[in-house]
Amino acid sequence: MKRNLRIIKKSLFYFKPFKWPMIITLAIIFVQKSSGHTSSYFLGKVVDSLSMSGVEAAVWFLVAYVVTSSVIPVLFNRIRAIYEVRTTDFDIYNYVQKTSLFKSLNLSLGQIRKEHSGFKQDVLRSGESSIDYFHQVITDEILPLISSFLVAIVGLYFIGFEFFVVSLIFTILFVGYGSHINSHIKEPLKELIKRRIERNKVYVDILRSLFFIKFANQKEAATKQLTKVQTDMRDHAEKIWVDFHKRSFVLDVMIVIYVGVIAYFVYQGLVRETLSVGMLIPVFSWVGIFTGSLFQVRNIQRRGEIALSDLEKMFEMLEQKTDLEECDSPLPIVSFEDKISFEGVAFDYADGKKGALKEVNFEIRKGDKVALVGRSGSGKTTIVSLILRLFDTTKGAILVDGVDLRLLALEQWHDLIAYVPQDGDLLDISIKENIIFGAKHKVSDAEIEDVLEKAGIKEFVHNLPHGIDTKVGERGVKLSGGQKQRVCIARALIKNAPILLLDEATSSLDSETEAFVNKAIWDMLGDKTGVVIAHRLSTILDADTILVMDHGEIVGIGSHEELLKTTPYYKTLVDAQNIDL
């Protein structure tokens, strides 16, 4: 119970901006539903009037029946529909999505990068849908249910006290036993949601790999992989819900007993003439509403448990603490003036490779063009990640102009860096919008043309049917790998930051284009500071300083010519790529 209340309290946070629209909506619903449920009383009075008071009295009760059963419900239903469209129907879900996005962005860049996007998408979508469900269930089910229940229980009280007492006793027994059943499915539901997330994650992975799966003729293997997680989830779900429905059979028996007891009291009322024939209509109408309300309570409880479990998972993800320790008063940094120093830096990935870096010491001075080389897994990308402060060092410190990077305002530090990862992300917007995305100044058309030229993509872009306004598709799917990377390079160049980091940013380009783009990048750097990871050593021969990495350590540092003389491992890398010296 405490767990449910805690989750509901967190969910109510999302409804705060819409408090008054929801209160007004609930008032409209209450009038609409209460009016409709009282109409059976007036219909009963019509019957009694025809047999006792005459036609004239029956006419007035008939008018009251028409007004309460049709006019008021229809009118208030239309008013409610228009009001909700204008105030809450779309705005609540949009607010939930934006709030979830803002909370997700509070995580560190390292946490954001390592989370599986299919996992995040499934958890957030399910949680957001659950909050939207609570909005819908409050307005479409809970308040109508309360209105129906109140009209039925109060009406039965005025017709006969015994009807009221029996209904109240059965309500307590029904809801109490229903809550007992729910307590048995809470933990199994958590496991079910985990399995559902795993199923959806596998499904997303398969969809992303459709080209490879079809090309490799692995349709059967992919289907088998999906079927396995689907079956695993289904078997667990079947076990939960079969047990749930077996236990719920007791509730069905309760309803049958309740209706039987009410029928007995009706019979007694007719025999003793304490109940008129006309009042049979509202009694059985309200009994039907009452039993329907109890079953509706069960459905809400059952679906509510699922929604609460989804929300619990979403809140767990959104309430993660960032794994970067932020100081209370970070120091501002508006420019890069001297150097970046790695002093005794060691780094272990929290849930991955240990010893990714081992006691690394080096400096990158302002204006230096530094290249990082080494085999895969040697620590090159880890160095770039630490400069970006995706993670904090396990040991040692990174100093920027003599100040520990952990003491600096992170957003301001990122403003000084343009970064091109190995697999850059593009939004499903136009090429132009992707290029200027994140720029801190108003970008002119001449600047865009310049970076298109430097990135070697100008001719391609202008030959597209819609030119630079062409949309790139989800994750840049409408572009080739090389075209996508060149758009990312253009985006980095337009930022005009004093520090440029490139993590194998030209790896998807052919040799000729890569040579062209790399020359443009080195020429463009000018007095900027550049750190480049390149898989082809021929592209970094003109670097001021080359750091040779192996198993998390720097095994050589110097210019190309110096390293050929002093570092055999570097000579081995050069020879392996048949570089013409």
Side-chain angles (χ1 to χ4, degrees), residues 331-343 362-368 387 397-408 412-413 416-417 498-499 529:
L331 301 174
I333 177 169
V334 295
S335 62
F336 173 54
E337 300 296 339
D338 186 16
K339 62 184 178 180
I340 301 169
S341 304
F342 276 58
E343 298 190 353
F362 68 93
E363 293 181 349
I364 303 173
R365 293 194 169 275
K366 181 179 181 180
D368 277 356
I387 293 174
I398 301 172
L399 306 183
V400 178
D401 293 343
V403 179
D404 193 320
L405 179 57
R406 289 168 290 198
L407 302 178
L408 296 176
Q412 290 183 339
W413 173 238
L416 301 178
I417 300 174
I499 301 170
T529 304

Side-chain angles (χ1 to χ4, degrees), residues 9-29:
K9 183 178 179 181
K10 290 180 180 179
S11 303
L12 290 175
F13 162 80
Y14 292 92
F15 296 123
K16 275 187 177 180
F18 309 95
K19 179 175 67 175
W20 285 110
M22 288 190 68
I23 289 173
I24 293 171
T25 299
L26 295 179
I28 294 171
I29 294 171

Side-chain angles (χ1 to χ4, degrees), residues 35 62-73:
S35 173
L62 193 59
V63 170
Y65 169 75
V66 171
V67 171
T68 55
S69 67
S70 300
V71 176
I72 294 177

Side-chain angles (χ1 to χ4, degrees), residues 486-501:
R486 279 180 277 178
V487 172
C488 291
I489 291 169
R491 181 171 63 190
L493 297 180
I494 207 75
K495 188 174 180 180
N496 196 29
I499 301 170
L500 180 62
L501 306 181

Side-chain angles (χ1 to χ4, degrees), residues 375-535:
R375 293 192 178 95
S376 177
S378 60
K380 308 184 300 296
T381 296
T382 301
I383 285 178
V384 170
S385 296
L386 292 175
I387 293 174
L388 287 166
R389 205 186 167 205
L390 305 190
F391 316 101
D392 281 334
T393 61
T394 304
K395 182 181 178 183
I398 301 172
L399 306 183
V400 178
D401 293 343
V403 179
D404 193 320
L405 179 57
R406 289 168 290 198
L407 302 178
L408 296 176
L410 188 58
E411 289 186 5
Q412 290 183 339
W413 173 238
H414 286 162
D415 285 343
L416 301 178
I417 300 174
Y419 171 54
V420 183
Q422 187 172 356
D423 183 20
D425 288 326
L426 295 180
L427 300 174
D428 189 10
I429 51 181
S430 70
I431 293 175
K432 178 179 180 179
E433 289 169 318
N434 269 293
I435 290 174
I436 65 176
F437 192 83
K440 299 298 180 181
H441 64 287
K442 187 175 182 180
V443 179
S444 67
D445 290 341
E447 288 179 278
I448 294 175
E449 290 296 308
D450 183 49
V451 296
L452 288 175
E453 181 75 39
K454 288 177 177 176
I457 200 174
K458 184 175 180 178
E459 182 178 355
F460 161 74
V461 168
H462 288 306
N463 284 334
L464 291 170
H466 300 289
I468 200 167
D469 294 317
T470 301
K471 285 195 172 185
V472 302
E474 184 182 0
R475 299 173 66 87
V477 70
K478 294 181 181 179
L479 304 179
S480 70
Q483 292 160 354
K484 177 180 171 181
Q485 262 185 323
R486 279 180 277 178
V487 172
C488 291
I489 291 169
R491 181 171 63 190
L493 297 180
I494 207 75
K495 188 174 180 180
N496 196 29
I499 301 170
L500 180 62
L501 306 181
L502 298 102
D503 185 356
E504 298 197 37
T506 57
S507 60
S508 293
L509 308 181
D510 59 78
S511 299
E512 182 180 351
T513 305
E514 182 183 43
F516 171 81
V517 172
N518 268 294
K519 183 179 185 305
I521 290 173
W522 291 108
D523 291 344
M524 177 277 309
L525 278 170
D527 60 352
K528 298 180 187 298
T529 304
V531 179
V532 179
I533 299 174
H535 70 297

Side-chain angles (χ1 to χ4, degrees), residues 1 3-4 8 133-134 137-138 141-142 145 170-186 189 240-241 244-245 247-248 251 254 292-310:
M1 189 63 174
R3 168 253 193 189
N4 288 355
I8 290 171
Y133 161 75
F134 278 126
V137 84
I138 288 170
E141 296 186 46
I142 292 179
L145 186 151
F170 271 91
T171 299
I172 295 170
L173 292 174
F174 193 95
V175 173
Y177 185 72
S179 298
H180 172 71
I181 294 174
N182 283 347
S183 67
H184 284 273
I185 66 170
K186 284 181 182 178
L189 267 180
I240 293 173
W241 296 120
F244 173 85
H245 288 298
R247 294 174 183 272
S248 297
L251 299 175
M254 284 185 185
S293 298
L294 291 180
F295 276 121
Q296 199 172 355
V297 166
R298 284 302 300 129
N299 288 332
I300 292 172
Q301 283 181 314
R302 180 175 63 84
R303 287 179 289 147
E305 281 297 336
I306 299 172
L308 288 171
S309 296
D310 280 329

